Every structure is written in structure tokens, then in C-alpha cells.
């Protein structure tokens, strides 16, 4: 067995030397990680920066693994290893560092996402700009994460000699293979291009209110291939992303969230309209759901059944408030008519003729 120079008068085997170097490198990495972590913890106490807390939350675990591996990789040159054993260790460390670094990059994207989510808060009353930014951010994040994963997988596979040979062999058949892959990937590429188009032209955005396939709901998620619409009754409608490029749909918040709401009541011709206008104004003024823009009462039609159609038009700051406001006004107006003009409620008229007078 080979020995090093004596340490404190004792010979040390090579395997012990290598272990000492390796353990020292790992401990040094843990120490550096500990110092960095404590520094960020102190910063988070002195300054209430959400970005610092987000950095600690997302990067703590992968950095705990990356730094010891990095210092262990640096220490390999100081060890006396056989070429075959060193090649195996180098390969394991290379793959581990590549995967860990990819995870760190993905977590950094999450940190940036948290920063933009804090800066562009969807809970604001008029959140058109925030919805634009979030839609683009969500799509770009998913695209970059997918790209990082693909590049990482390619780097790992190409680091093996056998994989490089397979790649060289595949390149000889790239003509036919390219045509086959092109046909196979046509749908996926179409979805990807549609996703880019939606992210930057934005016919829909995160939190937009849509009427699609006869359903009312909000855009909950936009992925690279599909869109999730949260229906009002907590169902989820999943649609391919190309749907919003190829088919018509209603977007109630395309320009702004402001919306008009209507209530139709069918009443007898004897109903006076001016008291209805006054009661409508009273109900709207007392309601926190009204945004004070529109308040209209009109007779919009008359039916063959001897009734008139009265439209109550109101406005609200978003579709949810508009729906609740419509329900409240409908209930309030019916109650008002029942209490003050019950004779003007819808009724069926029958005409009787005296047969004796006709004889």
C-alpha cells in the first residue's frame, strides 16, 4: 500500500487522504452555503423585501446541494485517483451539477415571477395592465422552463460517448426523419405558435371573463398547449390553445372590466314608469355594487300578450358585481311593484261578449 508523508508522525493511506479532501470540500461548501443563508436571513429582517424572502424560499434547497457538489468537483484535482475511478466520479459530478444548476435556474425564474406578481397585483380594481403582464409572464415562464429542461437533458445525453454515436447515426437519415418529425410535430408546433400569438397579441389574458362554448367563466391558466377556464360553478373547461385563434368567443374584459347589466320585467300597460325610475335610482344609490355610471329605465318593447317590456340598465366595475347587482335590482323592483302597483303585474285578459245582445 502507498502512503503519504507522515502527518503528526503517522503515515496516512491514499484512501484516507482522498476522504479527508472530499469531506473538507463538502464541509467548505456547507459552510459557504450557511454564510450565504444567514446573510439573506439578516437582510430579510432588516429590510422587508419580498424578493429576499422569495430567494430564500426558492433557492435554499438547490443551493444546499449545488455548493457542496461544486467544491467537491474542485477538490478532485487534489486527490490521487485511478484514471478509471476518476472518470466515473467526474461523470457523476458533471451530471449532478448540470441537473442542480438547471433547478437553480428554474427557481430563479420563480423568484422573478414572485417579484412581478407582487408588482402587478390582480386584486386591484382596474387590473387590465396587470392581466396583460401576467399572461405574458406565465407563458414565457413555461416556455423557458421547458427549454431549460430540454437543454439539460440534451447536455446529459451528449456527455455519453454512446449517445453521441447514436446522434451521428441519426443525422445520416435526417432527410426522411425530418419529414416524419415535421408531420408528427405539426400539431404541437401549431399549439406553440398559437401560444406565442396569444401571449403577445392577447385576445385573452389571465383573469379575463369569457363566454365560451356557452359557459361563463374566468381564464385561470394559460399553458403551452391548452387554456383552463374556471366556470362560475367551480367546474373547469379545458380548451386547446388554438381554439382562441380559430373560433369566436366573448371576452367581457378585453378593454376594461367595466360592464353594463340589464334586467327585463314584463308588466301591464297600466304601470307608471316615473315611480320605477325613482325606485331604481334609490336602489342603485344604496348599493355598493353600482359604479354610478349608468342608470336607465326604458320601455323597450310591447308583446302580443298585452304586456310591455321594461328594461332596467345599470353599470358595475366588473362582471361579478354586475351579476349580483342585476339580481338585487330585479328583486327590489319586483318587491316595489308588488307593494305599490300589484294591479300592474302581468295578467291575462279575456273578453266576454253578451250573446243575448247580439240576438
Amino acid at each position: 500500500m502507498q502512503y503519504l508523508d507522515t502527518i503528526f508522525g503517522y503515515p496516512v493511506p491514499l484512501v484516507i487522504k482522498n476522504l479527508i479532501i472530499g469531506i473538507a470540500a463538502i464541509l467548505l461548501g456547507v459552510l459557504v452555503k450557511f454564510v450565504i443563508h444567514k446573510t439573506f436571513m439578516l437582510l430579510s429582517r432588516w429590510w422587508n423585501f419580498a424578493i429576499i424572502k422569495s430567494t430564500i424560499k426558492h433557492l435554499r434547497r438547490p443551493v444546499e446541494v449545488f455548493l457542496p457538489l461544486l467544491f467537491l468537483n474542485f477538490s478532485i484535482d487534489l486527490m490521487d485517483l485511478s484514471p478509471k475511478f476518476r472518470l466515473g466520479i467526474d461523470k457523476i459530478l458533471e451530471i449532478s451539477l448540470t441537473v442542480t444548476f438547471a433547478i437553480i435556474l428554474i427557481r430563479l425564474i420563480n423568484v422573478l415571477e414572485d417579484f412581478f406578481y407582487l408588482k402587478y397585483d390582480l386584486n386591484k380594481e382596474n387590473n387590465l395592465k396587470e392581466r396583460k403582464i401576467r399572461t405574458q409572464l406565465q407563458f414565457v415562464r413555461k416556455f423557458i422552463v421547458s427549454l431549460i429542461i430540454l437543454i439539460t437533458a440534451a447536455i446529459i445525453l451528449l456527455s455519453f460517448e454512446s449517445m453521441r454515436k447514436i446522434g451521428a447515426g441519426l443525422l445520416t437519415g435526417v432527410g426522411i426523419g425530418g419529414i416524419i418529425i415535421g408531420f408528427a410535430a405539426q400539431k404541437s408546433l401549431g399549439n406553440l405558435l398559437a401560444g406565442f400569438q396569444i401571449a403577445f397579441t392577447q385576445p385573452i389574458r389571465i383573469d379575463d371573463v369569457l363566454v365560451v362554448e356557452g359557459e361563463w367563466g374566468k381564464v385561470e391558466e394559460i399553458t403551452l398547449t391548452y387554456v383552463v377556464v374556471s366556470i362560475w360553478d367551480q367546474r373547469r373547461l379545458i380548451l386547446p390553445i388554438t381554439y382562441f385563434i380559430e373560433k369566436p368567443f366573448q371576452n367581457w374584459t378585453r378593454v376594461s372590466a367595466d360592464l353594463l347589466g340589464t334586467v327585463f320585467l314584463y308588466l301591464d300597460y297600466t304601470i307608471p314608469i316615473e315611480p320605477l325610475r325613482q325606485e331604481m335610482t334609490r336602489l342603485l344609490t344604496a348599493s355598493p355594487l353600482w359604479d354610478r355610471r349608468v342608470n336607465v329605465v326604458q320601455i323597450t318593447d310591447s308583446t302580443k300578450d298585452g304586456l310591455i317590456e321594461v328594461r332596467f340598465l345599470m353599470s358595475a366595475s366588473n362582471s361579478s358585481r354586475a351579476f349580483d347587482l342585476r339580481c338585487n335590482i330585479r328583486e327590489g323592483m319586483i318587491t316595489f311593484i308588488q307593494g305599490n302597483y300589484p294591479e300592474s303585474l302581468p295578467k291575462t285578459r279575456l273578453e266576454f261578449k253578451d250573446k243575448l245582445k247580439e240576438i
Side-chain angles (χ1 to χ4, degrees):
M1 178 172 297
Q2 296 180 349
Y3 292 92
L4 295 175
D5 294 335
T6 58
I7 299 177
F8 300 112
Y10 296 97
V12 179
L14 285 177
V15 65
I16 300 299
K17 171 199 168 184
N18 293 336
L19 283 175
I20 292 173
I21 294 174
I23 292 173
I26 293 174
L27 291 177
L28 181 59
V30 172
L31 178 62
V32 172
K33 179 264 166 191
F34 178 79
V35 172
I36 294 174
H37 177 69
K38 287 300 181 182
T39 303
F40 273 88
M41 289 297 292
L42 287 174
L43 290 175
S44 68
R45 292 176 183 175
W46 291 340
W47 295 287
N48 190 22
F49 289 161
I51 192 70
I52 296 177
K53 295 181 180 179
S54 178
T55 301
I56 296 172
K57 173 185 174 182
H58 291 294
L59 292 178
R60 179 180 177 182
R61 297 302 180 190
V63 170
E64 281 181 353
V65 178
F66 181 77
L67 287 178
L69 286 176
L70 183 63
F71 280 93
L72 180 60
N73 186 61
F74 291 154
S75 70
I76 293 295
D77 293 334
L78 303 176
M79 299 181 185
D80 292 325
L81 301 171
S82 64
K84 185 176 181 180
F85 187 70
R86 175 165 181 165
L87 182 63
I89 293 295
D90 282 339
K91 183 62 65 177
I92 292 173
L93 286 175
E94 179 186 352
I95 294 174
S96 300
L97 285 170
T98 302
V99 172
T100 311
F101 185 69
I103 294 173
I104 289 175
L105 289 178
I106 293 173
R107 294 297 181 87
L108 280 172
I109 294 173
N110 291 334
V111 173
L112 291 174
E113 186 179 34
D114 287 346
F115 171 74
F116 281 105
Y117 277 14
L118 181 66
K119 186 175 181 181
Y120 300 100
D121 187 9
L122 284 179
N123 294 322
K124 292 172 61 177
E125 187 68 26
N126 188 6
N127 60 0
L128 178 61
K129 181 180 179 181
E130 285 72 17
R131 290 187 285 112
K132 287 181 177 180
I133 297 297
R134 284 214 183 186
T135 300
Q136 293 175 344
L137 180 65
Q138 189 176 100
F139 182 83
V140 170
R141 178 183 64 82
K142 292 178 184 297
F143 178 75
I144 293 177
V145 168
S146 301
L147 195 61
I148 290 173
I149 293 173
L150 288 175
I151 292 174
T152 302
I155 291 173
I156 293 173
L157 291 175
L158 292 175
S159 66
F160 294 95
E161 186 67 27
S162 58
M163 290 297 175
R164 287 199 293 268
K165 291 179 180 179
I166 292 174
L170 288 174
L171 287 176
T172 60
V174 70
I176 298 176
I179 295 174
I180 296 174
I181 293 173
F183 279 112
Q186 185 177 6
K187 191 75 173 178
S188 299
L189 289 175
N191 284 332
L192 184 62
L193 292 175
F196 272 112
Q197 185 174 347
I198 284 176
F200 293 98
T201 62
Q202 296 195 336
I204 59 171
R205 294 175 293 263
I206 297 297
D207 211 41
D208 265 352
V209 176
L210 307 181
V211 176
V212 57
E213 295 292 311
E215 300 284 1
W216 181 96
K218 289 187 176 182
V219 177
E220 184 176 62
E221 184 180 4
I222 300 176
T223 72
L224 298 178
T225 55
Y226 62 88
V227 175
V228 180
V229 179
S230 176
I231 307 302
W232 65 273
D233 58 0
Q234 299 185 355
R235 290 177 293 144
R236 298 297 187 272
L237 182 63
I238 313 297
L239 296 166
I241 201 164
T242 52
Y243 179 95
F244 297 93
I245 303 297
E246 300 170 352
K247 295 185 179 182
F249 59 92
Q250 294 184 39
N251 188 337
W252 289 9
T253 54
R254 178 68 179 88
V255 178
S256 71
D258 298 339
L259 202 66
L260 297 181
T262 55
V263 170
F264 290 97
L265 293 182
Y266 294 90
L267 304 170
D268 191 75
Y269 277 86
T270 59
I271 187 73
I273 301 302
E274 190 57 32
L276 297 185
R277 290 194 176 100
Q278 295 174 4
E279 179 64 13
M280 169 82 161
T281 301
R282 187 190 70 81
L283 291 174
L284 288 178
T285 304
S287 176
L289 301 174
W290 184 46
D291 64 1
R292 301 182 180 276
R293 290 189 300 117
V294 178
N295 171 17
V296 177
V297 178
Q298 294 173 316
I299 298 176
T300 53
D301 198 5
S302 58
T303 69
K304 295 179 180 180
D305 299 327
L307 300 175
I308 58 173
E309 180 185 75
V310 182
R311 184 183 69 173
F312 301 86
L313 187 64
M314 65 218 74
S315 59
S317 58
N318 57 56
S319 58
S320 297
R321 288 181 167 225
F323 179 82
D324 291 338
L325 182 60
R326 288 169 56 205
C327 293
N328 293 345
I329 294 300
R330 183 183 294 109
E331 179 180 341
M333 294 308 301
I334 291 176
T335 302
F336 174 76
I337 295 169
Q338 287 174 338
N340 296 274
Y341 304 99
E343 70 282 357
S344 296
L345 291 171
K347 58 173 65 74
T348 301
R349 288 187 171 88
L350 296 177
E351 184 177 349
F352 295 94
K353 292 184 178 180
D354 191 343
K355 297 295 184 179
L356 292 176
K357 291 181 178 181
E358 295 180 359
I359 298 175

